Amino acid sequence: MRPVYDLPAEFLAAVQSYLPDSAGTYAAQLLWQRGLRDVQQLAGFVDANAYTPTSPFEFGLEMQRAVERLLHAHQRQERVAIWGDFDVDGITATAVLWDGLSEFFPPPQLTYVIPNRLTESHGLSLAGIDRLAKQGYSLIVTCDTGSTQFAELAYAQQHGIEVIVTDHHVLAEERPPVVALLNPRVFSADHPLAHLAGVAVAYKLMEALYETLPQVPRRPVKELLDLVAIGLIADLAQLTGDCRYLAQRGIAYLQSYAEQDIPPRPGIAHLLHFCRRSGDRPTDISFGLGPRINAVSRIQGDAHFCVELLTSRDPERSRQLAEATELANTRRRSLQRQVLQQVKSKLQHVDLSTTGVIVLSDPQWSVGILGLVAGQIAQEYGRPTILLSSEGAADQGGQSAGLARGSARSVEGIDLYQLIQQQAHLLHRFGGHPLAAGLSLPVENIPLLSEALNQQILSQNAIGGRVGSLSADLTVPVAALGRSLFRELKLLEPCGIGNPVPKLLIQNCWFRRVWHKKISDYRGQPVEYIKTEFELCDDSCDLGFPGTWWGHYKDELPSGRCDAIVELDFNSYEDAKRQKRYEVRLIAVRPAVGVVAASPPARDWIRDWILDGRGRLAANLPSDAGILQVTTCPRCWEELQAWCRRAAQTGQRLALAYGNPVQRSAAACWQQLVGIAKYLSRTQTVATRQQLLENLQISDVALQFGLESLSLLGFRCSWLEQPSEQGTTLALQVIGQFAPVTDSALRSAMTQFIEVVQEEQFRQRYFYEVPLATIQDWAARLPLNSQSTAE
């Protein structure tokens, strides 16, 4: 927790003047602890109308050269190419330049290049320059790239192509051979332009061009601000100075979409519809638009059409592109979940006590989503994380060949760029920021890189005490959650690096009405991605407060009292299934401080009591008669809990000894069930419950749903007692199809059963992939009374 300050009355009064319906104490506390303590500065921070934006010509001679070269190209009708990047900053920057320069250069004179994320690297390429030269282009304007690409820039110069660089990445000591270099890193850290992202630098160039030739453009330059806001917020830019001002203006422009019958950018409007957002919140960008735009290159590699998605005025074409983007995001979610589980599984075999930087690789990982997973791992484990796809295959001599490519993410206080740069001799290519980077290196250098980085960071004592810590900005009760607090926190928006979304600590709370479900895509199809919904409660009020925990199952929430870190938001999207509401996003949860857990000593012995023999790990299980083996992959936590109780009662250790579940399609399972029903009806025979479960490979719950579904088709199903060696057993009797079946009845029956089976199969894959530590932590909370037995 942050310290609580005794705030000056003048400052508190100034904050309260913006919040007539609230006390303003929470907002004032946050602003003060984040260093904004000058009443004069407060107005420009809170209200964009009170801020004086910096002139684009603050870039000095470089901006003058850039504008003069564009004017020259306009007068001579030269062919101009925009060279962008495949992430959301690069895509939106390209869209800004495309829309902006199109006012001066008709499309036959103007084109853009977006590298393929999966087959190419960031930045200019010799092959791309060759293609542009052959097509007669004489000027390239880069965005979000180019500052240090001396070889490529010299190559362009040799081929008669001049270059204007707009970028925000690290500068070299020497100036590259370009017409103009627009990079905010030339400014001191406290300059209002110092933290511009690539999209904002591109906008400043357009601002200068429009100011110099105001008679040419048909639309005002401010109509580009919605694109700027998307790029700034999705790229997690530091929103101070002009960055904050541009984001505020852009969000205000996005908000106007809802008031217009025909939105100015129908592609953005369609994306907002698919992610069930209205566009009036910064989180609509960070959790809605940004991930979807990024997903295209992560999954398909080629994100070229994203620029058209953001700039097209054709509603039908925009809808088609938005649907393609949404499908890519659906696939991204599924891949991200799978790789995250695989990374956590690998980490079970890593001694984290001696690991300062996590470096892992796998030949099967998709390069496009490694940055997302690395960010999740870095945040959860408190260590810089590098994940690599080792694409190179072994040569005939057994040696690794080829390059590994991947992404790195850091944690607060550790400059990842500087850390990796010191090992540049091991790398093929590398670039990025203090908190995020992309890299490639020979596969055989991966162990060397891991060892060198760990020696380097551990010698600096940079990691100690970071893992598992929970930090929050404010402590509030559940009763404080809602409209009033939201309005106070909204005063700090838009948030970003240096001004993060406020994290709220709710102490001694509990969860109720907990439920998880797989989310659906825009077509209603289930997605391999889970979310848990709940109500958050404490002793401050009788009513619970709604919330969501993305990517987690309900069983991962503690059953008793706990401390929770949440973020408060307002979702203004409304349709037939959902109303506008204030809600929280769960960030982290831990046992309540001072509250005794259900089995406090369990964590000491549970790691020796539950063993992992899943899949290939089965060979590592000890040949011990005192081990109870779970050989069938569970479908729910209740099944696993029954095994835990059985092991505790018999004084045995528990081994997860099941393999990767072999699963048929749910549709094939449905067809088999209908076939069995027809057979039993036709032959007037019966089938035992066990025979049905073994043949269909489903649970009792799914079987019951299946029988209910058969009744919709006209089958009458009943259970009969039959004699058996154990006494009696239940057998299914089916009496034939009485009513003609309509298409809608068939569809309804089939959908109900298939969804249940798919959910079971999803859960089985989860129990095969879930880290052993997660199961051990869950088991530690069970009231098994088994500690003495286990010891």
Side-chain angles (χ1 to χ4, degrees):
M1 271 299 298
R2 308 287 200 273
V4 177
Y5 297 96
D6 185 13
L7 302 176
E10 180 190 13
F11 182 78
L12 183 57
V15 174
Q16 288 172 337
S17 68
Y18 295 99
L19 299 163
D21 300 327
S22 304
T25 51
Y26 289 125
Q29 173 76 16
L30 284 169
L31 290 165
W32 190 269
Q33 71 189 22
R34 293 182 179 186
L36 205 153
R37 304 178 180 183
D38 187 339
V39 174
Q40 302 302 319
Q41 290 181 333
L42 184 63
F45 181 87
V46 172
D47 183 5
N49 292 321
Y51 181 85
T52 303
T54 309
S55 167
F57 289 100
E58 191 76 10
F59 279 95
L61 186 59
E62 298 289 355
M63 182 63 79
Q64 293 175 25
R65 289 171 174 166
V67 171
E68 287 171 3
R69 182 63 184 87
L70 287 170
L71 292 179
H72 184 67
H74 172 61
Q75 292 163 359
R76 297 182 58 185
Q77 298 184 339
E78 294 182 52
R79 306 192 81 182
V80 179
I82 303 162
W83 196 296
D85 199 14
F86 44 68
D87 64 8
V88 67
D89 188 23
I91 291 291
T92 51
T94 304
V96 164
L97 291 180
W98 175 256
D99 254 13
L101 290 176
S102 292
E103 298 290 306
F104 300 85
F105 302 92
Q109 290 178 241
L110 190 66
T111 191
Y112 60 87
V113 178
I114 303 290
N116 187 304
R117 185 192 285 263
L118 302 183
T119 60
E120 300 176 274
S121 298
H122 294 273
L124 298 160
S125 68
L126 303 184
I129 293 170
D130 276 336
R131 285 193 296 271
L132 292 176
K134 290 176 182 177
Q135 294 168 13
Y137 287 90
S138 55
L139 178 62
I140 292 175
V141 183
T142 77
C143 47
D144 197 32
T145 192
S147 290
T148 58
Q149 293 192 268
F150 285 82
E152 290 83 357
L153 293 169
Y155 188 78
Q157 196 175 49
Q158 293 166 12
H159 285 69
I161 300 178
E162 294 188 306
V163 181
I164 297 171
V165 169
T166 75
D167 193 11
H168 69 127
H169 293 93
V170 175
L171 286 168
E173 292 184 4
E174 298 179 21
R175 186 181 183 280
V178 295
V179 173
L181 173 63
L182 302 177
N183 191 313
R185 289 180 180 262
V186 299
F187 300 115
S188 61
D190 58 352
H191 193 281
L193 298 180
H195 302 291
L196 296 182
V199 65
V201 181
Y203 177 78
K204 283 294 181 182
L205 174 59
M206 291 301 92
E207 202 174 46
L209 185 60
Y210 276 53
E211 185 178 317
T212 305
L213 273 184
Q215 70 278 12
V216 174
R218 295 160 296 171
R219 294 193 295 265
V221 71
K222 67 179 183 181
E223 290 190 4
L224 302 173
L225 284 172
D226 50 355
L227 299 172
V228 178
I230 293 170
L232 286 172
I233 293 172
D235 199 51
L236 300 177
Q238 182 167 326
L239 298 182
T240 56
D242 273 53
C243 262
R244 179 175 177 83
Y245 168 79
L246 293 172
Q248 287 171 316
R249 289 296 193 201
I251 291 171
Y253 192 56
L254 272 175
Q255 289 172 345
S256 69
Y257 278 33
E259 304 165 2
Q260 303 180 52
D261 294 333
I262 302 177
R265 300 189 189 277
I268 293 177
H270 283 301
L271 283 185
L272 287 169
H273 172 72
F274 288 144
C275 61
R276 297 184 175 92
R277 301 273 177 172
S278 299
D280 60 343
R281 304 278 303 114
T283 47
D284 294 352
I285 296 172
S286 53
F287 293 108
L289 298 177
R292 281 163 172 77
I293 295 169
N294 266 327
V296 174
S297 63
R298 295 185 190 281
I299 299 304
Q300 299 177 189
D302 183 4
H304 194 268
F305 76 75
C306 284
V307 177
E308 184 182 359
L309 168 70
L310 296 178
T311 58
S312 173
R313 264 63 178 181
D314 181 342
E316 180 57 27
R317 176 60 175 163
S318 297
R319 182 190 61 78
Q320 295 170 359
L321 297 175
E323 287 180 356
T325 303
E326 183 68 12
L327 290 175
N329 189 55
T330 298
R331 178 60 178 153
R332 185 272 306 170
R333 280 174 162 160
S334 179
L335 275 178
Q336 184 178 345
R337 184 191 65 82
Q338 293 170 16
V339 174
L340 179 64
Q341 295 292 351
Q342 292 167 11
V343 171
K344 288 185 175 181
S345 180
K346 287 177 179 285
L347 284 173
Q348 293 179 50
H349 308 287
V350 175
D351 182 2
L352 292 174
S353 66
T354 60
T355 301
V357 181
I358 294 171
V359 182
L360 296 173
S361 65
D362 192 287
Q364 302 301 318
W365 286 344
S366 172
V367 175
I369 50 88
L370 291 185
L372 296 172
V373 179
Q376 291 178 280
I377 294 296
Q379 183 178 33
E380 182 172 344
Y381 290 81
R383 292 162 168 78
T385 299
I386 300 174
L387 300 181
L388 300 159
S389 178
S390 47
E391 301 167 321
D395 61 23
Q396 294 181 353
Q399 300 296 316
S400 296
L403 293 175
R405 297 174 57 224
S407 294
R409 296 292 184 269
S410 193
V411 293
E412 187 177 351
I414 298 179
D415 188 328
L416 185 68
Y417 187 89
Q418 292 297 327
L419 192 69
I420 299 178
Q421 190 178 45
Q422 295 181 45
Q423 309 303 327
H425 60 285
L426 298 174
L427 307 177
H428 173 66
R429 296 191 71 166
F430 165 65
H433 310 282
L435 291 176
L439 69 160
S440 61
L441 71 162
V443 173
E444 60 269 22
N445 285 0
I446 295 175
L448 299 175
L449 178 67
S450 177
E451 182 180 359
L453 292 177
N454 274 285
Q455 287 181 354
Q456 186 177 338
I457 201 164
L458 291 174
S459 68
Q460 299 170 1
N461 295 316
I463 291 296
R466 189 183 299 275
V467 180
S469 62
L470 295 179
S471 62
D473 299 287
L474 297 170
T475 300
V476 300
V478 170
L481 300 174
R483 179 177 180 273
S484 179
L485 178 58
F486 173 78
R487 286 174 62 86
E488 290 200 36
L489 302 184
K490 194 172 185 293
L491 207 63
L492 282 79
E493 292 180 353
C495 296
I497 294 176
N499 179 38
V501 176
K503 291 183 171 51
L504 310 176
L505 172 62
I506 315 292
Q507 293 179 309
N508 203 20
C509 60
W510 65 92
F511 299 93
R512 73 181 185 193
R513 296 182 182 175
V514 180
W515 187 248
H516 65 235
K517 61 181 179 180
K518 282 192 284 188
I519 64 174
S520 301
D521 62 20
Y522 74 97
R523 301 170 301 178
Q525 298 298 310
V527 178
E528 293 291 309
Y529 196 80
I530 206 80
K531 73 172 180 178
T532 291
E533 295 184 343
F534 56 82
E535 284 189 359
L536 184 62
C537 309
D538 69 2
D539 295 321
S540 67
C541 62
D542 295 329
L543 297 176
F545 195 83
T548 303
W549 199 16
W550 290 93
H552 293 269
Y553 283 90
K554 65 178 183 179
D555 312 272
E556 297 177 60
L557 286 175
S559 56
R561 291 185 179 247
C562 57
D563 295 338
I565 303 287
V566 300
E567 294 175 355
L568 178 62
D569 202 1
F570 176 65
N571 193 331
S572 61
Y573 184 84
E574 190 172 23
D575 60 15
K577 297 182 179 179
R578 183 187 182 94
Q579 294 183 334
K580 299 177 181 181
R581 72 174 191 177
Y582 295 95
E583 59 190 13
V584 294
R585 280 186 300 277
L586 183 61
I587 305 301
V589 64
R590 68 182 180 193
V593 176
V595 177
V596 179
S599 294
R603 295 186 184 277
D604 296 331
W605 56 267
I606 201 77
R607 287 172 176 78
D608 295 325
W609 187 62
I610 298 183
L611 309 175
D612 197 352
R614 292 173 291 180
R616 288 176 292 181
L617 297 176
N620 300 332
L621 289 176
S623 54
D624 187 342
I627 295 178
L628 178 64
Q629 294 196 4
V630 183
T631 55
T632 302
C633 188
R635 292 181 175 88
C636 62
W637 289 101
E638 287 76 10
E639 285 185 23
L640 192 56
Q641 183 174 351
W643 281 102
C644 289
R645 285 176 175 160
R646 181 178 165 190
Q649 290 165 0
T650 57
Q652 297 175 288
R653 290 192 289 173
L654 188 69
L656 309 179
Y658 45 84
N660 191 356
V662 179
Q663 298 174 333
R664 301 179 300 164
S665 74
C669 190
W670 165 253
Q671 291 172 352
Q672 184 180 5
L673 175 63
V674 174
I676 291 173
K678 290 180 178 179
Y679 174 80
L680 295 180
S681 174
R682 185 176 68 252
T683 61
Q684 298 184 5
T685 54
V686 296
T688 68
R689 168 185 159 278
Q690 195 60 35
Q691 287 173 332
L692 292 168
L693 296 179
E694 289 178 356
N695 275 280
L696 295 169
Q697 298 178 6
I698 58 176
S699 71
D700 272 321
V701 173
L703 179 59
Q704 188 58 40
F705 269 95
L707 299 183
E708 292 176 7
S709 299
L710 289 175
S711 68
L712 297 176
L713 303 184
F715 289 105
R716 183 185 300 169
C717 304
S718 56
W719 292 103
L720 306 176
E721 286 192 352
Q722 295 280 311
S724 69
E725 295 180 0
Q726 291 75 29
T728 60
T729 187
L730 291 176
L732 179 69
Q733 180 186 57
V734 180
I735 300 178
Q737 218 168 331
F738 290 103
V741 181
T742 64
D743 288 343
S744 61
L746 178 61
R747 211 164 32 244
S748 175
M750 182 172 64
T751 300
Q752 177 177 275
F753 176 74
I754 285 177
E755 286 181 352
V756 173
V757 173
Q758 286 177 332
E759 173 66 20
E760 284 192 349
Q761 292 177 340
F762 181 72
R763 283 165 166 261
Q764 279 195 305
R765 291 195 295 274
Y766 172 80
F767 280 107
Y768 180 72
E769 299 171 354
V770 63
L772 179 63
T774 299
I775 294 177
Q776 290 171 332
D777 288 343
W778 164 82
R781 299 194 296 268
L782 296 177
L784 301 174
N785 297 321
S786 57
Q787 182 191 1
S788 58
T789 304
E791 289 176 341

